[in-house]
């Protein structure tokens, strides 16, 4: 090793052994390993050496640099341990104090409601069927008994892709056709599924409507399924979701894919039906659209409507979450504001 490198090596180690406080240690590092430190200065002299000596000298300085870096880290650990031991001895650190709580992530409120839904429906024998977000026009509309010029298509303003036959689904109902075709085995097997997922509509974003939102669709197909099965099933869901005494009522409505169609209300769980701001003093909250699967839809799913029947429903988990937690504005759900999300 050249004399200069060896001198610096000895000098640096001596100085390091004398450091006691972390302040001194930092000073040592900048003196020897810093940008303008002694090791750096040695690198600067390489250019002045005769060509044939440069490579060997460079290697020596490199080795010295790694050696000092390692020595520094060891000393740093040693000083840290000593300081800690001293603090403990002098009672500066109270190890019986509880640790700082860890920052934990949480589940998004929409995810929580979805999981709650899935657990309840699974307990009632419904399997989850995952359908597509990007959907064909036929599945979103035509096969659900909404032919191309049906006036009910106006109810939903749609995001189309550059291919006018392909769109972002406006509701989870197209999954009904896919589930029937895939799980029904040519219309020969009963099915009981829920279809959760994101839906998209080209709408003015307001406190009550978003361009994206989730739905949970339900579908049951069997030999003798009747309206009483639909009512019993949804009432049971409401008891498990809201409370054991939840009352449910059904109002006649219209959806092209069900006949007859009904809207489902649950007795307001905030005021027990007394009337409050959230239920607009009616005592009832709307939670779902539902009905008996239309014969045309059964046929499009591969079932013979003279032998098979079924019921379907669609729910909006965000709306239910908003009602449960008194959330005033649907835009909070996808705004990703931590002040909102941290509350759950
Ligand atoms: N797809 C309807 C919507 O987006 C909701 C719906 C209503 C789904 C009735 C159903 C149903 O399955 O039977 O508004």
């Amino acid at each position: 090793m050249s004399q200069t490198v060896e001198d610096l090596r000895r000098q640096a180690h001596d100085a390091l052994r004398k450091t006691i406080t972390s302040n001194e240690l930092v000073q040592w590092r900048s003196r020897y390993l810093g940008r303008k430190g002694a090791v750096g200065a040695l690198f600067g002299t390489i250019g002045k050496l005769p060509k044939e000596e440069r490579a060997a000298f460079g290697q020596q300085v490199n080795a010295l640099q790694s050696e000092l870096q390692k020595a520094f880290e060891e000393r740093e650990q040693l000083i840290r341990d000593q300081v800690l031991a001293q603090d403990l001895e002098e009672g500066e650190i109270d190890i019986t104090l509880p640790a700082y709580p860890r920052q934990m992530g949480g589940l998004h409120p929409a995810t929580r409601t979805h999981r709650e839904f899935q657990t309840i429906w699974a307990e009632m024998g419904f399997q989850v069927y995952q359908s597509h977000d990007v959907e064909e026009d036929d599945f979103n509309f035509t096969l659900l008994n909404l032919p191309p010029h049906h006036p009910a298509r106006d109810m939903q303003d749609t995001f189309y892709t550059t291919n006018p036959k392909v769109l972002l689904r406006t509701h989870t109902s197209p999954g009904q056709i896919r589930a029937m075709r895939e799980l029904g085995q040519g219309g020969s097997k009963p099915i009981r599924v829920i279809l959760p997922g994101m839906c998209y509509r080209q709408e003015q974003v307001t406190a009550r409507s978003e361009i994206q939102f989730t739905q949970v669709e339900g579908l049951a197909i069997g030999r003798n399924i009747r309206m009483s099965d639909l009512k019993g099933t949804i009432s049971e869901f409401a008891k498990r979701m809201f409370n054991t005494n939840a009352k449910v009522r059904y109002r006649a409505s219209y959806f092209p894919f069900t006949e007859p169609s009904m809207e489902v209300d649950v007795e307001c769980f905030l005021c027990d039906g007394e009337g409050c701001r959230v239920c607009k003093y009616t005592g009832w909250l709307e939670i779902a659209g539902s009905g008996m699967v239309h014969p045309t839809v059964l046929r499009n799913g591969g079932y013979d409507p003279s032998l098979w029947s079924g019921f379907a429903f669609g729910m909006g988990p965000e709306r239910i979450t908003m009602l449960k937690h008194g959330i005033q504005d649907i835009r909070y759900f996808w705004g990703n504001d931590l002040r909102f999300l941290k509350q759950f």
Side-chain angles (χ1 to χ4, degrees):
M1 201 175 259
S2 87
Q3 194 50 43
T4 30
V5 175
E6 188 50 34
D7 284 349
L8 181 56
R9 185 171 171 272
R10 206 169 306 125
Q11 189 192 342
H13 280 297
D14 283 348
L16 187 61
R17 266 192 296 279
K18 289 187 190 128
T19 59
I20 292 168
T21 65
S22 53
N23 230 352
E24 288 168 351
L25 195 66
V26 169
Q27 280 169 12
W28 180 91
R29 183 172 56 180
S30 82
R31 187 169 310 135
Y32 292 96
L33 294 171
R35 271 200 320 137
K36 293 185 179 155
V39 175
L42 274 191
F43 278 120
T45 65
I46 294 180
K48 299 194 188 99
L49 292 174
K51 257 207 175 102
E52 59 282 6
E53 288 175 25
R54 286 182 197 167
F57 184 77
Q59 274 173 15
Q60 287 178 15
V61 183
N62 265 330
L64 175 66
Q65 188 179 35
S66 335
E67 180 186 319
L68 292 183
Q69 179 63 33
K70 195 156 165 267
F72 168 81
E73 282 160 17
E74 282 167 13
R75 184 83 189 163
E76 190 181 38
Q77 188 59 49
L78 190 76
I79 289 178
R80 208 181 285 152
D81 291 348
Q82 280 171 352
V83 168
L84 195 64
Q86 197 173 350
D87 281 354
L88 274 173
E89 204 155 289
E90 291 168 4
E92 295 253 341
I93 298 176
D94 180 356
I95 54 169
T96 63
L97 280 177
Y100 288 111
R102 261 193 191 205
Q103 288 266 3
M104 298 276 277
L107 290 176
H108 192 284
T111 309
R112 279 168 184 266
T113 310
H114 269 269
R115 294 207 177 166
E116 213 174 322
F117 270 47
Q118 284 179 22
T119 307
I120 294 174
W121 286 114
E123 282 166 3
M124 291 168 67
F126 285 74
Q127 137 192 32
V128 174
Y129 182 89
Q130 208 79 41
S131 192
H132 308 198
D133 283 37
V134 179
E135 193 46 281
E136 292 170 43
D137 178 277
D138 274 355
F139 281 80
N140 199 75
F141 296 123
T142 317
L143 295 168
L144 289 171
N145 203 28
L146 280 125
H149 299 292
H150 194 291
R153 281 198 175 195
D154 284 350
M155 294 195 310
Q156 298 174 347
D157 291 337
T158 310
F159 283 114
Y160 283 91
T161 62
T162 47
N163 177 346
K165 293 245 149 254
V166 179
L167 46 81
L168 296 181
R169 66 174 168 201
T170 59
H171 51 171
T172 42
S173 304
Q176 288 189 27
I177 304 286
R178 296 198 180 272
M180 283 191 266
R181 290 190 180 177
E182 195 176 310
L183 307 174
Q185 297 183 11
S188 66
K189 289 263 180 294
I191 54 181
R192 229 183 317 174
V193 286
I194 56 161
L195 308 109
M198 191 67 81
C199 304
Y200 309 84
R201 287 187 201 172
Q202 191 158 17
E203 280 189 287
Q204 178 85 29
V205 177
T206 68
R208 297 175 64 87
S209 65
E210 252 286 11
I211 57 171
Q212 65 174 64
F213 52 92
T214 63
Q215 282 190 345
V216 174
E217 187 90 9
L219 176 70
I221 307 282
R223 278 302 180 115
N224 279 309
I225 293 190
R226 293 178 244 193
M227 189 103 122
S228 51
D229 296 310
L230 165 59
K231 290 170 75 176
T233 308
I234 296 212
S235 301
E236 181 60 29
F237 168 78
K239 285 194 181 18
R240 296 183 189 211
M241 182 75 196
F242 303 111
N243 70 60
T244 45
N245 306 316
K247 285 204 197 90
V248 174
R249 76 173 183 187
Y250 299 85
R251 283 178 291 113
S253 183
Y254 172 73
F255 300 102
F257 29 88
T258 43
E259 181 57 38
S261 305
M262 301 178 299
E263 248 148 327
V264 185
D265 295 341
V266 64
E267 192 177 60
C268 180
F269 43 79
L270 297 168
C271 63
D272 289 330
E274 296 277 312
C276 66
R277 263 184 54 217
V278 176
C279 63
K280 302 208 189 78
Y281 301 98
T282 62
W284 296 94
L285 299 165
E286 186 190 319
I287 57 159
S290 69
M292 300 306 290
V293 180
H294 195 288
T296 304
V297 175
L298 280 172
R299 220 174 280 121
N300 290 338
Y303 288 89
D304 176 352
S306 64
L307 299 173
W308 297 84
S309 56
F311 66 75
F313 56 84
M315 300 185 169
E318 276 88 293
R319 205 180 115 71
I320 292 178
T321 311
M322 286 171 80
L323 295 170
K324 266 192 136 171
H325 296 288
I327 300 165
Q328 305 283 348
D329 193 319
I330 197 170
R331 287 170 290 196
Y332 285 129
F333 280 89
W334 318 115
N336 265 345
D337 185 334
L338 284 179
R339 288 170 302 179
F340 169 71
L341 296 173
K342 273 186 177 163
Q343 296 176 52
F344 296 91

